Structures are given as C-alpha cells and as structure tokens.
Amino acid sequence: MGGYAVFIWASYGLAAVTLGGLAALTLWQRRRARRTWAAVNPRRESAP
Amino acid sequence: MHRFANPARFQRIARRILPFFAGATVLFIGFGLYYALLGSPADYQQGETVRIMYVHVPAAWMSLFVYASMALSSAVALIWRHPLADLATRAAALPGAAFTALCLATGSLWGQPMWGTWWVWDARLTSVLVLLFLYLGYIALVDAFDDPERGAKAGSILALVGAVNLPIIKFSVDWWNTLHQPASVLKLGGPSIDGTMLRPLLLMALGFTCFFVTLLLLRLETALLDRKIRAVEERVS
C-alpha cells in the first residue's frame, strides 16, 4: 500500500472502532434494560 | 403498517429476523473486507487510496439512508401517531450520526493524500457536515424536554425539516462547482466504475445496511423495555 498505508489503515481502524463501539453500546444498553426490568418486575423471569 | 403497531407483535417478529440480519452483517462485511483489501486492484489515478472508498462511500450512503428513514418515520409518527415510529426515529439517530461522522473522517483521510488537504468548504462536504449537526441536534432536542412526548414531537419536526438537506447533499456536486467528484454509482446511465471495484463497494454497503437493521432492532427492543420500566416505576410512585 506504499506511503498511503497509514491513511488506509486509519480509515479501516476508525470504521472498526465506530461500528464496534456502536454495537457494544447498544448491547450494553439492552443488557442494562433487561436487568432493570427483571428488578422492577420480578414476577417475570425474562424480558418480554 | 398498523399491524406492527402492537409492540409485542413487533418484538416477536424482530426476534425472529434479528439473527438473519446479524449473520448477513458478518458475511457481507467479511467478504467485503476481503475484496476491499486484497481482491481488488489499485486505481490508476488514486492508487491504493481507492481502498478508503470502500468504507467512505457506504458510510455516506448510510448517512443519507438513515436520515431519510428518520424523516419517513417522523412523518408516520406525526400523521398517524404510530406508537413505534417515534421510538424508531430515536433508535436510528445515533447510528446515523456515527455513519455521518465516519463518512466525514474517512473522507478527510482520503482528501489529505489526494487533494493535499484534510478539509475544504466544498458544497458536498459542508452539506454533509450540516447533516451531522442535524443528527446531533435531533439527539439533543428529544432529550431536552421533561415530557418525552413533547420531545419526540419537536424531534420529528426537526427530522422532517432537515430532510431538505438530503437532495442538497445528493445534487451538490451537480449544482455547484465542487472539488468533490460527481456520482459514479448512483446515477443515470448506470455505474461508471469497474466491476472489480463495484463488488467490494456493494458488499460493504450491504454489510453496513444489515448492521444498521441489526442495531435498529436491538435499540428498538431496548427502547420498548425502557418504556415499560418507566410505566412500572410511575405506577409504583
């Protein structure tokens, strides 16, 4: 990739961090909501 | 459309289609990365930097597609008061902002070696920056009200008004004299780029689309759960 390798890898790295971070945040929010739901509504064993 | 207004029914359908979209994301992005980095040639003018396009262009398409979806669901929320439309608009905003930021950042990383500058106040670049501000404005606005319904309504109006920016972005390269190159895929007469470069571009675009749908389904499920938690807490207090 010659002298442009740093620009190319920076682009792919940035994409991985952005999309990976978005996926991680979404899954963390979902897990937190499920845990809170289980706490406020203990009669139900799992999320609706 | 109102068939999906029942949150329980929506969740049943979402749970069934979620693994399909998650799997498709991995497959499309996996093959897309192979063709983007190894299985496609360098461009005769741009050289190896053309590989940045396989991230930049799908991110740019997604930034427009997500905003158009938000404008559509905002219209549905305002006109038919569909119970899931507001939640869908809200769930799509953060991924849309992320795609737009990624588009701007990768464009900048391509611009430095090719144009010799990280940024120019070009019509295309500026209108995409305005799109990022619209996303951020929407996210800030919906949370700025004590009453969530009022916040959702204000956000829907902003999303609809901001849709004016979409044709400006698309046609900015035709209407004004810009440094940004004109469309080479989505244009009359068909794509003007070679098949070996079109393949990774389309695979990555499909991967990004499936990724967005996966995120949207997960975020909608979380939003519905949050709404139920709020309802229970209000009943208790």
Side-chain angles (χ1 to χ4, degrees):
Chain A
M1 290 183 188
Y4 298 134
V6 66
F7 294 101
I8 297 164
W9 288 116
S11 298
Y12 282 83
L14 210 58
V17 168
T18 308
L19 302 188
L22 205 54
L25 176 72
T26 301
L27 289 172
W28 174 75
Q29 286 174 331
R30 181 172 176 248
R31 197 176 310 140
R32 191 189 55 178
R34 283 184 159 204
R35 222 177 284 156
T36 314
W37 174 250
V40 297
N41 196 9
R43 279 172 302 164
R44 299 185 74 123
E45 286 178 4
S46 61
Chain B
M1 189 168 56
H2 284 278
R3 241 185 97 227
F4 302 108
N6 181 331
R9 184 181 291 154
F10 166 80
Q11 278 182 313
R12 268 201 310 276
I13 296 168
R15 281 203 189 137
R16 221 172 292 156
I17 61 174
L18 186 66
F20 168 78
F21 279 103
T25 302
V26 174
L27 274 179
F28 282 129
I29 293 188
F31 280 112
L33 280 176
Y34 167 75
Y35 284 110
L37 294 169
L38 303 166
S40 62
D43 183 71
Y44 81 105
Q45 272 185 324
Q46 301 174 44
E48 296 287 349
T49 57
V50 72
R51 301 188 196 284
I52 298 174
M53 290 296 116
Y54 304 134
V55 176
H56 171 72
V57 176
W61 286 344
M62 288 311 295
S63 69
L64 295 175
F65 169 70
V66 173
Y67 199 89
S69 313
M70 282 173 62
L72 189 69
S73 58
S74 293
V76 169
L78 287 172
I79 298 166
W80 289 291
R81 299 186 181 277
H82 192 292
L84 290 178
D86 273 336
L87 292 182
T89 314
R90 213 173 161 144
L94 187 64
F99 281 123
T100 313
L102 184 63
C103 162
L104 287 169
T106 51
S108 207
L109 283 163
W110 181 88
Q112 174 58 26
M114 289 297 103
W115 292 343
T117 180
W118 299 100
W119 181 265
V120 280
W121 291 102
D122 170 275
R124 170 61 69 85
L125 275 71
T126 309
S127 53
V128 174
L129 184 65
V130 170
L131 182 68
L132 178 63
F133 291 149
L134 282 168
Y135 274 119
L136 298 179
Y138 173 86
I139 293 167
L141 189 64
V142 289
D143 285 331
F145 292 83
D146 288 332
D147 178 5
E149 274 191 27
R150 283 185 66 199
K153 197 171 180 183
S156 294
I157 292 167
L158 175 67
L160 271 176
V161 172
V164 169
N165 192 36
L166 299 182
I168 295 176
I169 294 173
K170 169 73 183 141
F171 297 110
S172 56
V173 287
D174 303 319
W175 292 342
W176 292 288
N177 196 8
T178 64
L179 192 56
H180 195 285
Q181 57 269 52
S184 50
V185 179
L186 302 173
K187 62 173 198 164
L188 291 173
S192 58
I193 67 170
D194 191 72
T196 53
M197 293 171 176
L198 192 60
R199 191 187 300 138
L201 200 60
L202 294 182
L203 282 169
M204 291 295 274
L206 281 170
F208 278 24
T209 309
C210 290
F211 177 72
F212 169 68
V213 175
T214 307
L215 279 188
L216 187 68
L217 293 173
L218 287 170
R219 293 176 71 81
L220 260 172
E221 192 193 336
T222 307
L224 284 168
L225 213 48
D226 280 338
R227 200 164 68 177
K228 282 190 155 199
I229 292 165
R230 267 202 311 276
V232 170
E233 283 172 345
E234 275 168 22
R235 235 187 353 244
V236 170
S237 64

